[in-house]
Amino acid sequence: MTSYMDYTSPQTEFAYDLNNSTFFKKDPYNYINLLSVKQLNTLGNSSLLDIYLSKSNVVEPHYHQNASELVYCISGSAEIALMNPFTNEFLHYLVQPAQVVNIPQGWWHYEMATVDNTHLLAIFDAPIPEVIFGSDILRLTPTNILAYTYCLDQEKLENALAPLTDTVIIGPPSNCSYNPVQGQSKTMQKPNQAPIQQQAQFKPNQAPIQQQAPMQSNQVIQQNQSTKSNQTFQPSQVSPNQGYYNQMYGQQYYQYPY
């Protein structure tokens, strides 16, 4: 990317504290910090999200229409799921520290923590990646169109979607009394299979899989066995910015990710 930055300008920025740019906060253990060219003007064609999740919390299904996303697990464990639009199948990957999942531009996906103190880093190849959330698609599409298109009962559909009055971002919402992620079928983990290769049904409250297969030439990298990879990050160590309600949630399209 060609840069037109005047690096002699006193306004040139080379460092930034992400604690000053909290994009969304559900509670002290589930929040997302943001870094884009708006926070760091020398950043160029890249940006990132610093994601903190407790067990069974999920960054809601969404897609980025202008950027690819590389998700790196720093601590904890998470399911990264994405839909391949060329094969019409959902791919599920259980990542642990030092493992990554690449999500191509425009692919439908979500991230769910399987243990507490999960810390993910999402890296984008755009200075300000855009995003469309599933909750916005559901709540902003006229219910009569959804009901007619899919032959659904409009009244039942309206009742089902009535609680969805805002963009969710990290679900389930804080006021939700129903936990939709319980009771799923067990992970079909084959013996000696590396967890990064998993593409089967997933159980959020399942303990992270420790056993891994030897690295093959056509196999993704294995979990880093160093002591650093086993360290957990405590969200309470940081102080998120409380001014995260500065986004226009009524808009269907977002210039910021998540």
Side-chain angles (χ1 to χ4, degrees), residues 40-114:
L40 190 62
N41 59 18
T42 61
L43 197 57
N45 197 41
S46 61
S47 54
L48 61 84
L49 293 173
D50 209 18
I51 304 170
Y52 299 90
L53 299 171
S54 56
K55 183 179 178 180
S56 297
N57 278 265
V58 55
V59 178
E60 67 163 308
H62 61 281
Y63 66 90
H64 305 282
Q65 63 268 41
N66 75 327
S68 298
E69 177 180 358
L70 183 66
V71 182
Y72 176 83
C73 183
I74 298 175
S75 65
S77 178
E79 177 200 15
I80 313 296
L82 57 153
M83 188 183 75
N84 186 332
F86 298 96
T87 63
N88 289 330
E89 63 177 334
F90 243 104
L91 306 176
H92 298 259
Y93 299 95
L94 182 63
V95 295
Q96 295 175 338
Q99 295 179 333
V100 301
V101 171
N102 184 54
I103 303 165
Q105 177 178 335
W107 285 30
W108 187 250
H109 63 283
Y110 64 84
E111 298 93 357
M112 180 187 293
T114 63

Side-chain angles (χ1 to χ4, degrees), residues 142-176:
T143 53
N144 63 319
I145 296 299
L146 290 175
Y148 177 77
T149 303
Y150 303 111
C151 195
L152 303 174
D153 186 302
Q154 183 175 345
E155 183 177 356
K156 291 181 179 179
L157 183 62
E158 290 176 349
N159 291 335
L161 297 179
L164 198 59
T165 60
D166 208 344
T167 310
V168 174
I169 303 182
I170 296 179
S174 299
N175 61 356
C176 180

Side-chain angles (χ1 to χ4, degrees), residues 19 22 25 28 239-246:
N19 291 315
T22 299
K25 180 183 176 183
S239 300
N241 191 327
Q242 299 303 313
Y244 53 86
Y245 287 116
N246 58 353

